[in-house]
């Protein structure tokens, strides 16, 4: 399971798919925990590039129906991905319902909980980008930043999500105007020190026009 998930995070789709398929086989043949089989099923759903939008949601909802109440960690991870599809469609209210349920439910593992807080932040940030009223947009960026900073502070060992959260925190500061520009630059400095090779560090330097 750890190998398959590591390959998935690394973006090695072919090897991750093979690893999840082997895990599914071993669960049946070697009588391994059924939860691992459901985690493998989730991994395969997410790796299939044909699964997008409503198609992805239907498959994830089908999986949730078989694990909710039995394997809450699997169900909650699937709910994060459903929330992300709604962000992609700019349906922020529906996305918030999924992320909020994870945070309030208290049954998610740390990585999934961090992803839910990140999702809540992205809902407000993306909503702010669409607002024509600057005062309302700044309020949205403030709310978003609270959740981005939660990820940075509470889940500091999550190397997959913390750089992304730090980038979006810097963007929230920068878009809020005034003295917040300096806070954005300081956040970028922290990223450069902690994650010099991250794509998000490169992006923050570009977007803030830093050398």
């Amino acid at each position: 399971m750890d190998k398959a998930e590591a390959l998935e995070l690394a973006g090695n789709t072919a090897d991750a798919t093979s690893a999840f398929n082997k895990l599914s086989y071993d669960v049946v043949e070697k009588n391994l925990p059924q939860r691992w089989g459901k985690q493998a099923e989730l991994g395969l759903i997410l790796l299939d590039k044909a699964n997008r939008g409503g198609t992805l949601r239907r498959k994830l909802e089908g999986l949730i129906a078989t694990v909710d109440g039995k394997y809450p960690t699997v169900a909650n991870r699937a709910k994060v991905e459903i929330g992300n599809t709604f962000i992609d469609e700019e349906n922020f209210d529906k996305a918030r319902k999924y992320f909020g349920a994870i945070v309030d439910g208290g049954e998610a593992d740390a990585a999934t909980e961090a992803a839910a807080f990140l999702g809540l932040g992205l809902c407000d940030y993306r909503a702010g980008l669409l607002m024509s009223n600057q005062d309302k947009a700044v309020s949205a960026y403030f709310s978003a930043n609270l959740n981005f900073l939660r990820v940075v502070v509470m889940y500091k060992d999550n190397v997959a999500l913390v750089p992304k959260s730090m980038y979006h925190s810097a963007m929230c500061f920068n878009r809020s105007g005034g003295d917040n520009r300096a806070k954005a630059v300081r956040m970028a400095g922290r990223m450069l020190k902690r994650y010099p090779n991250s794509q998000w560090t490169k992006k923050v330097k570009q977007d803030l026009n830093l050398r």
Side-chain angles (χ1 to χ4, degrees), residues 163-211:
K164 184 175 182 178
S165 297
M166 293 177 80
Y167 165 81
H168 282 92
S169 175
M171 291 300 100
C172 285
F173 283 130
N174 191 55
R175 290 181 177 278
S176 296
D179 295 338
N180 288 299
R181 164 72 181 183
K183 296 178 183 178
V185 172
R186 285 198 295 272
M187 181 64 75
R190 291 175 61 190
M191 293 177 68
L192 184 60
K193 183 176 180 180
R194 292 176 59 182
Y195 307 103
N197 299 317
S198 170
Q199 62 173 320
W200 296 104
T201 301
K202 296 175 184 177
K203 186 168 174 57
V204 80
K205 289 174 65 179
Q206 177 182 340
D207 290 352
L208 293 180
N209 196 27
L210 302 175
R211 293 184 178 181

Side-chain angles (χ1 to χ4, degrees), residues 8 12 29-30 46 77 85 87 91 93-94 109 111 121 134 142-143 152 169 178:
E8 181 184 7
N12 191 335
E29 295 298 318
K30 299 180 181 180
L46 297 177
R77 188 182 172 204
T85 68
I87 289 179
N91 192 333
D93 287 340
K94 283 190 175 181
D109 58 23
Q134 180 62 14
F142 178 82
S143 296
V152 174
S169 175

Side-chain angles (χ1 to χ4, degrees), residues 76-140:
N76 280 313
R77 188 182 172 204
K79 290 173 184 177
V80 164
E81 299 301 335
I82 292 174
N84 287 334
T85 68
F86 283 123
I87 289 179
D88 291 339
E89 297 172 3
E90 297 181 350
N91 192 333
F92 305 123
D93 287 340
K94 283 190 175 181
R96 287 188 189 98
K97 288 180 181 179
Y98 279 91
F99 297 133
I102 294 166
V103 170
D104 295 338
E107 294 185 311
D109 58 23
T112 303
E113 194 171 73
F117 278 121
L118 174 59
L120 287 169
L122 289 173
C123 286
D124 287 328
Y125 177 74
R126 293 276 298 272
L129 294 178
L130 299 175
M131 293 176 181
S132 58
N133 183 299
Q134 180 62 14
D135 289 338
K136 290 183 178 180
V138 168
S139 179

